[in-house]
Amino acid sequence: MKNLLAFAFLLLAYLSSAQNIPPRGDSPMQKNEWFVSYGPPGYSGTEAGIAFTYGRTDDKERSSEKEERTYFGTLHVGYQRLLGKRFSLGLEIQYNRVVINGSTNAVQDYFRRTEFLLPQLRLDYRYIYRPKFQLYSGAAVGLMFSKARKIEYNVSGGVLADETGSWKFNDDGIPFHINLMGFRFGRKTAFFTELGIGFNSLIRVGVASRF
């Protein structure tokens, strides 16, 4: 009986001490995190920002009867450093692409593909920080670069000109984004979704991992 009580006491002491050990993936040393996410076409603030703020894709290349636009959606790749349990500071790069085809009487007039890169600094604040769940908001601000390819056609469909430019810095505005609400589910490796307004995706989903 005494041996049983001693064993039970030692077991309780072990379990009590084990509860004070941070779960794997939540070690204070793991303050770095990489992430990748995607925002589908139609839910990307980049598209709205380009169309209304920059006006890069609003003007038709020629007086075409019909113009069709196809968006790639917004891809984000980034890194952030946890500053305690509440704040994190990081850098993310956003990529989007728009393809424009102009035609008259079903004959193509021109083709234009413009790619966009937006490196941004971001700061997040966590309202709830739990091992398997985080609720947060934040903001991001950065720069925008673009590269375009243009093809002009004659009335017979032949190529008149084909030009591909290099990456250029767009200096007529500062892209920004306000992350209204973010949800992170998981420990070391986690899935997340964010809702916001600005030049990033209005809705995006992704995966993140600490190291």
Side-chain angles (χ1 to χ4, degrees):
M1 185 67 177
K2 291 182 179 180
N3 291 335
L4 182 61
L5 290 175
F7 176 78
F9 176 78
L10 292 175
L11 180 61
L12 289 174
Y14 171 78
L15 293 176
S16 177
S17 63
Q19 289 178 353
N20 295 324
I21 300 176
R24 185 169 182 173
D26 295 309
S27 170
M29 298 302 294
Q30 292 181 311
K31 296 182 179 295
N32 303 293
E33 184 173 86
W34 67 265
F35 60 90
V36 58
S37 64
Y38 178 75
Y43 295 92
S44 172
T46 308
E47 298 159 14
I50 293 168
F52 298 107
T53 302
Y54 283 82
R56 295 296 188 187
T57 61
D58 277 353
D59 297 329
K60 294 183 178 182
E61 300 290 336
R62 289 159 53 178
S63 56
S64 299
E65 179 182 83
K66 184 179 181 181
E67 187 176 83
E68 295 182 351
R69 303 182 185 185
T70 303
Y71 289 95
F72 168 79
T74 307
L75 178 66
H76 311 82
V77 177
Y79 159 84
Q80 61 182 348
R81 172 79 174 179
L82 301 177
L83 308 176
K85 290 187 177 182
R86 297 296 180 184
F87 289 95
S88 65
L89 182 65
L91 171 69
E92 70 175 47
I93 298 178
Q94 176 193 149
Y95 174 83
N96 201 340
R97 180 178 69 234
V98 56
V99 174
I100 304 175
N101 288 289
S103 60
T104 302
N105 297 325
V107 177
Q108 188 167 13
D109 293 328
Y110 62 86
F111 165 92
R112 178 175 179 175
R113 183 187 66 209
T114 307
E115 299 174 90
F116 298 91
L117 276 180
L118 284 77
Q120 296 179 324
L121 289 173
R122 62 177 289 168
L123 176 68
D124 293 328
Y125 176 81
R126 289 161 179 77
Y127 305 102
I128 299 176
Y129 186 96
R130 297 288 184 270
K132 293 185 179 181
F133 174 74
Q134 295 177 25
L135 175 66
Y136 58 94
S137 295
V141 63
L143 304 173
M144 178 180 282
F145 298 86
S146 64
K147 181 175 73 171
R149 181 186 180 187
K150 303 177 182 179
I151 303 178
E152 298 284 341
Y153 300 92
N154 58 29
V155 294
S156 300
V159 177
L160 293 175
D162 188 345
E163 301 177 358
T164 301
S166 57
W167 287 103
K168 296 181 179 179
F169 170 57
N170 293 340
D171 58 357
D172 55 348
I174 298 177
F176 66 92
H177 188 78
I178 298 176
N179 181 21
L180 299 176
M181 200 65 65
F183 306 88
R184 186 185 190 276
F185 304 92
R187 287 183 172 173
K188 182 176 180 180
T189 300
F191 296 95
F192 68 91
T193 182
E194 296 179 358
L195 310 174
I197 55 175
F199 277 76
N200 292 353
S201 296
L202 307 180
I203 301 174
R204 64 172 170 173
V205 294
V207 62
S209 180
R210 294 179 187 171
F211 61 96

